[in-house]
């Protein structure tokens, strides 16, 4: 487990960083938010230090609360929570996207975020508390 803000570096030069979660209030147009749940966003940054183009469509981002329950993804126009990382990333470039999650109510104020880039690299995990 990495702390939020830490960077996972892969042997091929690809790097991933997940920011600490921030609470937000979803708009009325938001999809995926339920009353009583905590809405949070994280910023996922991917740097392509490899020699090849990186397909961002293969990036998977998911989250669980401190009790191990899956946090549903939130899509909203307010904090620009759209489709996440998309397109291709050229060598030497970076891409950043916000992801929103709906954390179930419970005793744990922790969040675990998993990021998987493609099929050849293992998942990386970040963990910390929700402010």
């Amino acid at each position: 487990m990495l702390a939020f803000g830490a960077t996972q570096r892969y042997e091929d030069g690809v790097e991933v960083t997940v920011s600490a979660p921030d609470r937000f209030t979803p708009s009325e147009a938001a999809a995926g938010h339920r009353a009583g749940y905590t809405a949070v966003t994280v910023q996922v940054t991917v740097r392509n230090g490899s020699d090849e183009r990186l397909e961002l469509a293969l990036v998977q981002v998911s989250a669980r609360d401190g009790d191990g329950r899956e946090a549903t993804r939130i899509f909203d126009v307010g904090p620009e929570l759209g489709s996440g990382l998309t397109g291709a990333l050229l060598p030497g470039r970076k891409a950043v996207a916000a992801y929103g999650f709906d954390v179930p109510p419970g005793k744990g104020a922790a969040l675990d975020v998993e990021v998987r880039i493609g099929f050849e690299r293992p998942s990386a995990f970040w963990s910390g508390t929700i402010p």
Side-chain angles (χ1 to χ4, degrees):
M1 284 279 189
L2 298 165
F4 288 119
T7 299
Q8 169 68 42
R9 292 175 175 84
Y10 294 98
E11 289 182 17
D12 64 356
V14 173
E15 299 179 353
V16 183
T17 306
V18 176
S19 72
D22 285 321
R23 290 178 187 246
F24 79 100
T25 302
S27 71
E28 290 188 21
H33 177 64
R34 291 188 262 178
Y37 282 49
T38 302
V40 299
T41 62
V42 295
Q43 300 287 323
V44 177
T45 303
V46 176
R47 294 184 199 300
N48 186 0
S50 76
D51 295 331
E52 297 183 16
R53 191 168 101 166
L54 183 64
E55 294 300 327
L56 296 175
L58 299 177
V59 175
Q60 299 173 0
V61 180
S62 60
R64 296 187 183 280
D65 72 1
D67 295 326
R69 296 174 295 174
E70 186 171 352
T72 302
R73 183 118 175 253
I74 298 175
F75 297 90
D76 197 357
V77 294
E80 298 182 18
L81 298 175
S83 56
L85 294 163
T86 60
L89 187 60
L90 296 175
R93 307 298 280 187
K94 77 173 182 177
V96 181
Y99 287 80
F101 294 102
D102 210 26
V103 182
K107 59 183 180 237
L111 186 69
D112 297 335
V113 176
E114 177 182 1
V115 178
R116 182 174 181 96
I117 299 180
F119 303 109
E120 296 87 33
R121 294 172 201 87
S123 292
F125 296 86
W126 287 259
S127 185
T129 58
I130 298 172

